[in-house]
Amino acid sequence: MQPEDRTIHFSAELIHGPAPIQKDVLQKLYFDLSQVRHAAYDNTDFTNPAQPRFYSRRGKKTESAALFLPDRLVLLEEWTDLPLSTFIDKVREVGVRMLAARGLRCYLLHTVTIRTTFALTHFDDARVFLMDSACAQAGKIGPHFQRPVSTGGLRFVLPETNENPGILHVTIESFRHSRNEVFVEVKGVYGRQQATAENFEIVVDNIEAVRAFIRDAVFPYVDQFDHAPEAPCEE
């Protein structure tokens, strides 16, 4: 499997106690962020008073957005063209500024989600690779389901331990937008330590931890199955 992956999504949910959504407060926050190059957004949308957002669009699919809900801030990069470092800078800037803007003391818990894809080396169909090579399901699905499988894969939930903070939800499946790529999503849920403006780097650390888990754990796990088929024995 190719070690250079193609990241397509970053997101973080910063969850806080209920707080009213005030349009003028968010408008000022939008202006303040416009003065910071890596945290600025091109537009606002206040049509839904319960879920205003800042957003930027680049090309047909790429979107950056900040969604403001009564109990959380959601920052996301969809079909992203940004490196992880830029996303981290944005989360840090918007997350810390929002605490002050909305009069909040801390984020009670936070989640981090990263989605990426890896291209296969020895297979041209990720469904066959995952179902047959990784899961040994060749010939065992069709007779029962009686229809083709468009997407298949694996899902794991890894509980928090003293050595490894956060609950990790791991999805590994065939990528429906590209036949020979494996789609990986890792979502970390972190609720053990509250994040304040003073210790906000714990959020940054956990973003980097999710990325490291994909690189150091998910990749080698999946790569072990991506090997050339054994040649038949000659008699």
Side-chain angles (χ1 to χ4, degrees):
M1 198 163 69
Q2 302 300 313
E4 297 82 13
D5 59 337
R6 180 167 65 100
T7 306
I8 58 175
H9 173 98
F10 299 122
S11 63
E13 286 186 290
L14 307 176
I15 300 169
H16 52 75
I21 295 175
Q22 298 172 296
K23 184 176 179 180
D24 59 333
V25 168
L26 294 184
Q27 287 174 325
K28 182 179 185 307
L29 177 61
Y30 177 79
F31 173 78
D32 291 342
L33 293 174
S34 72
Q35 310 304 303
V36 183
R37 181 179 58 82
H38 56 260
Y41 293 90
D42 295 337
N43 297 285
T44 62
D45 182 356
F46 289 94
T47 55
N48 182 351
Q51 189 177 303
R53 66 188 184 115
F54 307 159
Y55 67 95
S56 302
R57 293 197 178 103
R58 299 178 297 280
K60 292 184 178 180
K61 297 190 296 183
T62 301
E63 181 175 10
S64 301
L67 284 68
F68 301 89
L69 288 80
D71 67 344
R72 72 193 62 196
L73 165 65
V74 182
L75 298 167
L76 63 88
E77 302 291 329
E78 199 67 69
W79 294 104
T80 186
D81 55 4
L82 301 178
L84 179 65
S85 58
T86 301
F87 175 66
I88 286 175
D89 288 342
K90 183 175 291 189
V91 171
R92 182 188 288 116
E93 196 74 42
V94 182
V96 171
R97 285 175 180 268
M98 201 200 75
L99 287 173
R102 298 184 68 184
L104 300 167
R105 187 183 67 83
C106 68
Y107 296 109
L108 303 172
L109 62 95
H110 57 278
T111 74
V112 177
T113 302
I114 298 178
R115 298 174 187 152
T116 193
T117 70
F118 289 94
L120 295 169
T121 301
H122 298 289
F123 291 80
D124 59 9
D125 190 327
R127 292 172 300 174
V128 173
F129 164 71
L130 286 170
M131 293 295 93
D132 297 358
S133 180
C135 299
Q137 294 296 297
K140 299 177 181 179
I141 298 174
H144 298 279
F145 292 170
Q146 296 294 314
R147 64 180 68 190
V149 176
S150 61
T151 303
L154 300 156
R155 181 174 181 269
F156 305 93
V157 178
L158 310 179
E160 187 169 31
T161 68
N162 290 331
E163 298 77 21
N164 299 288
I167 302 167
L168 296 183
H169 298 258
V170 182
T171 300
I172 304 166
E173 62 186 28
S174 53
F175 187 42
R176 61 189 180 92
H177 297 286
S178 178
R179 180 182 175 89
N180 76 323
E181 289 182 81
V182 173
F183 169 86
V184 172
E185 177 187 278
V186 176
K187 178 178 182 178
V189 181
Y190 301 92
R192 182 174 289 186
Q193 188 175 6
Q194 297 178 351
T196 65
E198 291 72 28
N199 72 345
F200 193 82
E201 289 304 299
I202 66 169
V203 177
V204 172
D205 291 344
N206 290 330
I207 295 172
E208 293 175 337
V210 169
R211 179 59 183 157
F213 183 82
I214 293 174
R215 180 189 65 237
D216 300 334
V218 177
F219 170 76
Y221 167 72
V222 180
D223 185 55
Q224 69 181 320
F225 303 108
D226 187 14
H227 50 75
E230 294 181 3
C233 297
E234 296 183 5
E235 296 185 0

